[in-house]
Amino acid sequence: MTSLNFTQVDAFADAPFSGNPAAVIPLDAWLDDATLQAIAEENNLSETAFTVPTPDDPDADYELRWFTPTIEVKLCGHATLASGHVLIQGASVRFRTRHAGILTVTRDGEGYALSLPAWTMAPAPLPVLAAGLGGQPVESHWRDGGYSLFLFPDAASVRALTPDFAALKPLGDMMLIATAPGEDSDIVSRVFVPGGGVDEDPVTGSAHCLLTPFWAERLGKTQISAYQASTRGGRLGCTLAGDRVILTGGCRTVIEGRFFP
């Protein structure tokens, strides 16, 4: 029976049982999409990352794709960091993605630095999403592709949110980011993607593609400390570098084994 190497990694983790778990499954060649989706559903993690070597590509070492238990996503930060943790050999490893270009994971002390695109947003009234999210946001912002951001007055308001997932899920695959000034970090956030099969994501690298430029402008600085206040929690260093966001964090391997599709 064919079997696949399987590694489960806690990404953006600075302690055991923290950060965001991701499965990383290196492949020699792509399986059909239905099988990839079925594997991700079986894993039942927020993301399963699949990689295939690209020996003839001068710009990338691997092609990378990500699947939640229900859909393939266009960008996932924490599973990219986890993939780098599993596959890095030298100082860095480069991934070609189908929608987000080349993503690079580089060694950074005992952790890693991940280069992602910097995404800006525009103010927009989002009453239906705000109602489903709950609380009383003071601002709402939108980016095409299904990204929404809600600014709250303080971290306590973000921590107290109890979204109506039953109401949000039928609205489709979109990310809802709740954020506020932090307590022991510059910023705090929580991230919800109920229409994409993940009610609350533990730590979301892609959300910080939006959070970093948003807060860099407001705080007047390009280096920001961030905490995602999910049940597991996770800390990220965020740097705005032109049209890129550099996220730093640690990874911990928690499971290694074989997957039998």
Side-chain angles (χ1 to χ4, degrees):
M1 180 182 294
T2 301
S3 64
L4 306 171
N5 286 326
F6 171 97
T7 306
Q8 185 168 317
V9 177
D10 288 347
F12 297 115
D14 57 3
F17 311 114
S18 66
N20 198 350
V24 180
I25 300 183
L27 305 171
D28 295 326
W30 288 114
L31 304 174
D32 64 89
D33 288 4
T35 299
L36 298 177
Q37 187 63 71
I39 292 171
E41 182 181 7
E42 181 77 12
N43 288 338
N44 198 32
L45 298 170
S46 58
E47 246 85 22
T48 296
F50 299 94
T51 65
V52 169
T54 56
D56 298 326
D57 188 336
D59 299 318
D61 305 298
Y62 298 89
E63 188 177 3
L64 172 64
R65 296 169 69 185
W66 317 271
F67 289 76
T68 78
T70 60
I71 62 168
E72 181 175 6
V73 298
K74 295 181 179 180
L75 176 62
C76 177
H78 85 278
T80 304
L81 198 75
S83 298
H85 171 71
V86 170
L87 294 170
I88 196 167
Q89 297 294 318
S92 64
V93 60
R94 302 163 302 167
F95 298 102
R96 180 173 296 283
T97 68
R98 299 189 175 191
H99 301 283
I102 302 294
L103 307 180
T104 302
V105 177
T106 304
R107 296 189 190 275
D108 182 59
E110 295 184 358
Y112 303 95
L114 168 62
S115 174
L116 297 173
W119 288 344
T120 57
M121 312 188 79
L126 303 169
V128 174
L129 293 181
L133 184 61
Q136 297 294 325
V138 296
E139 294 180 22
S140 59
H141 298 254
W142 175 258
R143 179 181 175 87
D144 287 346
Y147 299 94
S148 59
L149 183 149
F150 299 88
L151 177 64
F152 287 84
D154 50 48
S157 300
V158 171
R159 293 178 184 274
L161 292 173
T162 56
D164 185 347
F165 295 124
L168 291 170
K169 191 168 296 186
L171 300 178
D173 175 27
M174 61 182 69
M175 179 182 291
L176 291 85
I177 305 166
T179 188
E183 298 160 327
D184 60 350
S185 59
D186 290 323
I187 66 170
V188 66
S189 67
R190 291 174 68 191
V191 177
F192 310 96
V193 199
V198 182
D199 282 350
E200 179 165 8
D201 199 32
V203 190
T204 315
S206 58
H208 289 80
C209 294
L210 302 155
L211 285 163
T212 301
F214 177 85
W215 281 106
E217 181 178 1
R218 289 167 181 263
L219 298 176
K221 59 182 182 178
T222 57
Q223 293 187 326
I224 297 166
S225 61
Y227 181 69
Q228 193 157 326
S230 63
T231 301
R232 292 176 63 93
R235 296 188 181 277
L236 309 88
C238 308
T239 300
L240 182 62
D243 63 353
R244 305 295 290 179
V245 166
I246 310 300
L247 303 182
T248 56
C251 286
R252 289 172 174 261
T253 297
V254 292
I255 301 172
E256 291 181 329
R258 305 290 290 175
F259 193 101
F260 297 88

